[in-house]
Amino acid sequence: MNKVTVVGSGFVGATVAQYVADKDLADVVVVDIIEGMPQGKSLDLMEAAPLAGHDCEIVGTNDYAATKGSDIVVITAGIARKPGMTRDDLLKINANIVQGVARETVKHSPDAIFIVVTNPLDVMTYLTWKTTKLPSSRVIGMAGVLDSARFQAFIGMETGFSVQDIKAMVLGGHGDLMVPLPRFSSVNGVPITELMTADRIEALSKRTRDGGAEIVALLKTGSAFYAPGRSVAEMVESILKDKNRLLPCAVLADGEYGLKDVYIGLPAVLGREGLKKIVELKLSGAESAELKKSADSIRENIDAMNKLLVTA
Ligand code: APR
């Protein structure tokens, strides 16, 4: 049986554990610093197993020893931005958490593939890559699958077509500067540009860019977790089953799209070794410019994080 470690047993971490087990993909170890929480949520999930009909073992712990030999490590540990907290405050706190988690987990699972979920996503994925010193093919960020799923959901709500037939591609950083690509989004092969006006597509693209904030505004005390958790499970499945799915993920650009040394959302092929390939689409001038702007903003944040970690 494959083994997946999920660090952080909060809303996203627990949802990842639930979907990974429900899809019968792997045994799951859930780790948290809070005593009792990972144990409690894991026991609850084990009690749901007879109903879900899977035989995956789900264990909660505060001890990294239990994560030994994991095939995949998912990092969701961190805090959400609270009122009065600057972006830099959040960056510093989550960078310290993610750095500590990456060090501990790679010690016990040097052959694992890492999927990073903690925000700010692209920067935390870069940090995990630097900290673990693993090949970049084994450190991947989850954002594009979620952002694309949101775009797909909005296209479905707008057109009334089954979401089963809707595919969308969203590239770039996981934030205000993400790049939804209507030209590469379709309803069963029919480009959405044939089905909707440019204005409506722009409105749905904007809603996608603000998708995380829309949920936060409604929940008030937390951020999204169902769609993020499910997005991670899709990536886990493609890796463990070596499915070669083409999924937008935060990956290290090495010259693709004219970008280098930055983690950013690009179309990625995921299989048993992790990232197998970055697929280069022919972007228009405007799309390329948006992607570059997004990469520049991530680079600025990486620089800011490096300064904060030095002074920490
Ligand atoms: N080691 C292990 N777990 C930690 C650590 C640490 N050093 N620091 C914090 N945690 C745990 C917290 O105890 C908490 O249970 O991480 C968990 C985070 O859970 P939530 O606060 O519920 O946050 P969640 O909604 O799951 O989001 C987690 O994913 O989508 C992103 O922006 C989101 O960065 C956030 C992350």
Side-chain angles (χ1 to χ4, degrees), residues 136-211:
S136 57
S137 58
R138 290 209 272 129
V139 181
I140 305 160
M142 187 293 290
V145 176
L146 169 62
D147 298 328
S148 302
R150 284 183 172 147
F151 198 23
Q152 288 162 22
F154 300 147
I155 293 166
M157 291 172 199
E158 174 88 7
T159 61
F161 292 121
S162 164
V163 287
Q164 207 182 334
D165 289 334
I166 300 174
K167 298 288 173 203
M169 188 60 84
V170 179
L171 304 184
H174 185 51
D176 309 343
L177 297 176
M178 72 178 72
V179 188
L181 293 176
R183 286 197 307 128
F184 296 103
S185 303
S186 73
V187 181
N188 229 351
V190 181
I192 60 165
T193 45
E194 301 281 315
L195 301 166
M196 273 184 273
T197 65
D199 282 358
R200 289 312 301 154
I201 291 174
E202 181 43 38
L204 301 190
S205 299
K206 183 178 180 323
R207 191 173 179 196
T208 302
R209 274 187 221 106
D210 300 336

Side-chain angles (χ1 to χ4, degrees), residues 7-13 31-34 37 41 64 75-80 94 97-98 101 117-120 142 222-225 228:
V7 187
S9 65
F11 284 98
V12 177
V31 188
D32 205 289
I33 38 164
I34 299 177
M37 185 149 97
K41 289 195 179 179
Y64 282 95
I75 301 181
T76 77
I79 62 156
N94 279 355
I97 292 173
V98 167
V101 169
V117 186
T118 307
N119 277 315
M142 187 293 290
S223 47
F225 54 97

Side-chain angles (χ1 to χ4, degrees), residues 259-281:
L259 305 172
K260 222 172 158 43
D261 299 325
V262 67
Y263 262 88
I264 185 164
L266 298 175
V269 180
L270 296 192
R272 200 62 187 81
E273 312 95 270
L275 170 68
K276 285 192 172 172
K277 191 178 158 185
I278 295 173
V279 174
E280 283 206 72
L281 307 172

Side-chain angles (χ1 to χ4, degrees), residues 19-279:
Y19 284 132
V20 166
D22 276 0
K23 280 171 154 281
D24 219 351
L25 295 176
D27 287 336
V28 185
V29 179
V30 187
V31 188
D32 205 289
I33 38 164
I34 299 177
E35 282 182 27
M37 185 149 97
Q39 291 86 349
K41 289 195 179 179
S42 298
L43 180 59
D44 195 6
L45 283 168
M46 282 300 277
E47 290 166 2
L51 309 169
H54 66 73
D55 290 296
C56 302
E57 190 184 21
I58 305 152
V59 176
T61 179
N62 309 108
D63 182 358
Y64 282 95
T67 68
K68 191 176 159 50
S70 295
D71 297 282
I72 295 182
V73 172
V74 181
I75 301 181
T76 77
I79 62 156
R81 195 166 147 196
K82 300 191 176 75
M85 200 184 258
T86 66
R87 273 179 200 274
D88 272 2
D89 292 337
L90 179 78
L91 191 60
K92 191 169 174 175
I93 293 169
N94 279 355
N96 278 302
I97 292 173
V98 167
Q99 201 174 38
V101 169
R103 277 190 192 130
E104 283 301 317
T105 43
V106 76
K107 227 189 288 174
H108 293 95
S109 303
D111 298 323
I113 292 159
F114 281 66
I115 300 176
V116 183
V117 186
T118 307
N119 277 315
L121 189 273
D122 307 271
V123 186
M124 292 302 128
T125 311
Y126 177 91
L127 176 62
T128 302
W129 170 59
K130 281 285 174 190
T131 307
T132 57
K133 300 188 175 64
L134 292 176
S136 57
S137 58
R138 290 209 272 129
V139 181
I140 305 160
M142 187 293 290
V145 176
L146 169 62
D147 298 328
S148 302
R150 284 183 172 147
F151 198 23
Q152 288 162 22
F154 300 147
I155 293 166
M157 291 172 199
E158 174 88 7
T159 61
F161 292 121
S162 164
V163 287
Q164 207 182 334
D165 289 334
I166 300 174
K167 298 288 173 203
M169 188 60 84
V170 179
L171 304 184
H174 185 51
D176 309 343
L177 297 176
M178 72 178 72
V179 188
L181 293 176
R183 286 197 307 128
F184 296 103
S185 303
S186 73
V187 181
N188 229 351
V190 181
I192 60 165
T193 45
E194 301 281 315
L195 301 166
M196 273 184 273
T197 65
D199 282 358
R200 289 312 301 154
I201 291 174
E202 181 43 38
L204 301 190
S205 299
K206 183 178 180 323
R207 191 173 179 196
T208 302
R209 274 187 221 106
D210 300 336
E214 185 177 3
I215 302 268
V216 169
L218 290 165
L219 293 181
K220 295 180 186 75
T221 54
S223 47
F225 54 97
Y226 291 119
R230 183 63 200 227
S231 300
V232 173
E234 293 296 297
M235 292 169 66
V236 167
E237 182 176 43
S238 189
I239 293 168
L240 293 180
K241 293 189 177 169
D242 198 25
K243 282 178 80 101
N244 289 339
R245 290 195 63 192
L246 176 62
L247 300 170
C249 301
V251 291
L252 185 73
D254 185 25
E256 295 88 356
Y257 294 87
L259 305 172
K260 222 172 158 43
D261 299 325
V262 67
Y263 262 88
I264 185 164
L266 298 175
V269 180
L270 296 192
R272 200 62 187 81
E273 312 95 270
L275 170 68
K276 285 192 172 172
K277 191 178 158 185
I278 295 173
V279 174

